[in-house]
Amino acid sequence: DVRGDERARDLVLDLNYNHLADMSLTMARVSDEEFIAEEVFNFSDRMALKDRPSQNLTPVLYFHLKEFEHKVFFIRVVNELPMKVPFYVWEEREYKNVTKGRMLFQGFYFGVVLIMAIYNFCIYLFSRDRSYGYYTFFILSLSAVIGIERGLALEWIWPDFPQIEYRFLLISIAFGCAASIPFTIYFLSLNKNAPRAVIYLKVLTAAWMVLAVLAAIHPGQVVQIAMFVLLPPGSLSLLVIGLLMWRNGVPAAPYYIIAWSVLVISTVIFDAYLLGWLPISLFTDYSLQVGNMIEVTLLSLGLAYRIKTLDNEKQKAYSINQAKSEFLATMSHEIRTPMNGVLGMAELLRDTRLNTQQRHYLNTILGSGNSLLTVLNDILDYSKIEAGKLEVENIQFNVRQIVDETAAIFATPAKDKGLYYNVYISPYVPEEIMGDPARTRQVLSNLLSNAFKFTKDGKVVVRVTSGTNQNTILFEVEDTGVGIAAEQQQEIFERFTQADSSTSRHYGGTGLGLSISKAFVELLGGEIGLECKGSKGSTFWFTLPRQEPSTRLKTDVSRLGQKSVLLVSPDPLFSEYFYQYCKQWQMHAFTASNLGEVLVMCSQIEADYIFVDQHCSDFSSEHVHQIVTASANTADSQLVLLMDAGSDRGALEQLFPNLWFEEFPISIKHIRDRLLEHCGGEHIQKEPVEEQTFPGMKVLVVDDNEVNGMVAIGFLRKLGVDALVVNNGKTALELLFHQGVHFDLVLLDCEMPDMDGFEVIRRIRAWEREHSVLHQPVCALSAHALEGFREKCKAAEMDDFLAKPIVLQQLRGTLAKFQHSSTSKEHKKASNS
């Protein structure tokens, strides 16, 4: 109902809402209490923008009102969605100002949102922090909802396709809700702070993604109802989780709660406004957009605060790790220095004349010392992992040989504990692969060491097979030990972690082996894990990529063709693999599980070789003798006994003069090589290499520790070197500078009082440059074996590095590098002169 006054005016009837399914408007003039229709106006949100009256986004009617004229507007609206019908009557000039104000507000809102989205997305690109990525998607989804609701999408993006608006509105709502959940997970670090809640939130995310797909396929009322049913409990869940994290002291939680509360409150106000529960006003009309701007700003601040907090935590963790690494390096150095004396002197003592008991005691000392050295090497590997400087090789190596050699180390512990111990390498595993043999050996050794440590009775076995996808090789170490509780299995590969806090007291160990093994395997491109059978033992496994070399060494097994083999073993897996290997070697193979079966079979088969497993239930020298003499088919057979390491063989050797022995764990590769040798084929076993010595080579040892000096001199003289030792840097410089003595090599201790090795090498190199004298080769000698210390020595112009405790083979290799260096340089200098 509009009534004019003493002046005529041009007015605008403004219905500031564009989502009206069907609206008809009739403008009538009132004359003598009668309604005279002047204009009929129809509007539908299904109309393309060009077909709408005045091509306007919302229903707008321009009309002229004369002096004291009375007009009535009859409006009929039909709508499926919740609706509002905000009527405004403006003078034309006022309407232009209002429209301009609305446009400015929308420009300001979308400008703020777009800037915040770009800001958060850029931080995501630089930091790769997922919370920023999900938050950017959430901002864009919510702004899409508001853009569609305000009709801006129709006006600027799809003016000719209004029918798709409802579909995209539901999709945007679903995507926005879905993105808010993983954002919450990463923003509040719920994977660490509330892992159980993450499971529920992932289910909620999946539900929203399903609704998004349904909205894209068929955006009906069912989807809309499902969204409105899911939205309140989902939003409330996020608020509750945020409050719990605030109470638990998560730094970013206050920002999250305040921002999320503002958004939820503004959404509730806007929904109530749409449903007609709140009056039409600027506050209610723009509540969602204002709340969204406040929420976006607060959470962006919260994200910045979170990154700052994480940076502080990382810096603190880095400082702790740095201090830890420095402590470990110092302790390693302090232990390695006396270890050099203990192991070195023990090694030299072994070359003297000793009786059996003394040699036994000495071997015990060396074994215990080497065990301690293994622990120290684990500490060094851990330090390299912390520093991110752990490197691996990718060279060709014989994987079967590595497994056999590593497994053989534990044969004696298996015998001492009375454990059944064997290795099963599938015939389908390639003999040679590309990888890092040293790291592969170390990982397998660590797993075997753990297995024997925690197994008192039963068995320990190693299995090597092709992985399920044939692109990997699977290594398994199975034991019947104490097992690992399910809740402890996730932490077993963490550093300094053992399954039981009392483990180190009962079993020993640092808890480093498995974490280092995990780092090695991942660097090699594989995976590591475990399967536990409760208290009945466990199986640790790891995989390596199956990278076969382009050229492989093939062994000619044609000499074994037509030969026959009989294996007597109660182990079905070993029998199966042995049978498959014999087929590859073109041999005729027969198997039996006990000696009684063989007595029945002897008259029916001929066997060139009979392998008998000591673990047969009816094994005895008498039964074995019966087999050999039972039939003419076996009288000339070569007998091979599979025995535990260290088993008594005296009686058997007297009974069977030409007897072969193979020790558990059985090496199929070794059996093949012996069979080839016995058949007159290639001799696989290499002749022992004569150990290299260095007669006439002159070496100076500079070390302030008297025992270490004695060890170095002892090793050098053992290698035929003319060696001299001094206990300080000043004496060394006196020899080199004033007495003019030149050595083939100087072994220089880096940590000496008064003048350390770095000062000595600095003066040596300065003297050489100043006097143009021959370069003096210098090898650093230090118990600091970390990579960083090696680089420090290299930067100080030292020619090589040798770690304590000195290993004879490593010393031999170092001497070989410098054996002819001085001679060649002297010749070169003479020719230049």
Side-chain angles (χ1 to χ4, degrees), residues 394-601:
N394 189 36
I395 60 174
Q396 183 173 339
F397 71 97
N398 191 310
V399 66
R400 297 171 185 270
Q401 183 175 340
I402 289 292
V403 173
D404 287 339
E405 289 176 353
T406 306
I409 297 171
F410 297 89
T412 300
K415 174 66 169 59
D416 293 342
K417 286 191 169 187
L419 302 175
Y420 179 71
Y421 179 41
N422 207 357
V423 172
Y424 310 106
I425 304 178
S426 168
Y428 304 106
V429 171
E431 186 143 347
E432 293 179 327
I433 62 171
M434 300 296 293
D436 189 325
R439 300 308 187 190
T440 303
R441 187 193 303 270
Q442 193 169 349
V443 173
L444 185 58
S445 178
N446 280 336
L447 298 187
L448 279 169
S449 178
N450 267 10
F452 279 102
K453 184 189 297 182
F454 298 110
T455 305
K456 291 182 178 179
D457 51 54
K459 69 176 181 179
V460 174
V461 296
V462 179
R463 288 189 296 270
V464 184
T465 57
S466 295
T468 53
N469 58 4
Q470 300 299 315
N471 293 324
T472 59
I473 297 176
L474 174 65
F475 299 79
E476 297 175 283
V477 176
E478 180 185 355
D479 65 63
T480 54
V482 296
I484 302 168
E487 62 273 11
Q488 295 165 336
Q489 292 178 21
Q490 297 298 321
E491 302 175 356
I492 200 67
F493 291 101
E494 298 295 325
R495 292 160 196 165
F496 302 110
T497 299
Q498 292 184 324
D500 187 347
S501 59
S502 62
T503 296
S504 59
R505 201 160 50 242
H506 289 292
Y507 300 101
T510 61
L512 273 176
L514 289 178
S515 67
I516 291 170
S517 297
K518 183 174 185 289
F520 286 164
V521 171
E522 289 176 350
L523 277 173
L524 292 168
E527 297 178 337
I528 191 169
L530 74 120
E531 297 174 3
C532 195
K533 297 170 284 188
S535 60
K536 296 181 180 179
S538 55
T539 301
F540 282 84
W541 58 266
F542 68 96
T543 62
L544 294 179
R546 181 173 175 154
Q547 302 177 29
E548 296 188 43
S550 55
T551 57
R552 286 177 289 174
L553 180 63
K554 294 185 178 180
T555 303
D556 182 12
V557 294
S558 59
R559 300 245 177 189
L560 301 180
Q562 307 308 314
K563 297 288 184 180
S564 56
V565 178
L566 169 63
L567 171 67
V568 189
S569 174
D571 186 336
L573 183 57
F574 177 66
S575 297
E576 178 187 347
Y577 277 1
F578 189 87
Y579 181 81
Q580 291 176 5
Y581 276 110
C582 288
K583 287 180 65 178
Q584 284 187 358
W585 303 336
Q586 303 171 13
M587 301 180 76
H588 301 294
F590 308 92
T591 60
S593 60
N594 57 66
L595 296 172
E597 288 183 28
V598 179
L599 289 172
V600 177
M601 298 167 60

Side-chain angles (χ1 to χ4, degrees), residues 113-114 117-118 134-145 172 176:
V113 169
L114 183 61
I118 293 173
Y134 283 114
Y135 189 54
T136 301
F137 193 70
F138 171 73
I139 292 173
L140 295 175
S141 297
L142 188 54
S143 62
V145 171
S172 299

Side-chain angles (χ1 to χ4, degrees), residues 101-114 152 289:
R102 289 172 182 169
M103 291 176 63
L104 285 173
F105 177 80
Q106 296 301 336
F108 177 73
Y109 165 75
F110 283 102
V112 169
V113 169
L114 183 61
L152 299 178
Q289 288 176 272

Side-chain angles (χ1 to χ4, degrees), residues 612-623:
V612 180
D613 188 341
Q614 177 192 18
H615 299 94
C616 291
S617 57
D618 54 353
F619 178 83
S620 67
S621 58
E622 291 79 9
H623 284 160

Side-chain angles (χ1 to χ4, degrees), residues 8 38 301 418 740:
E38 292 185 337
L301 291 173

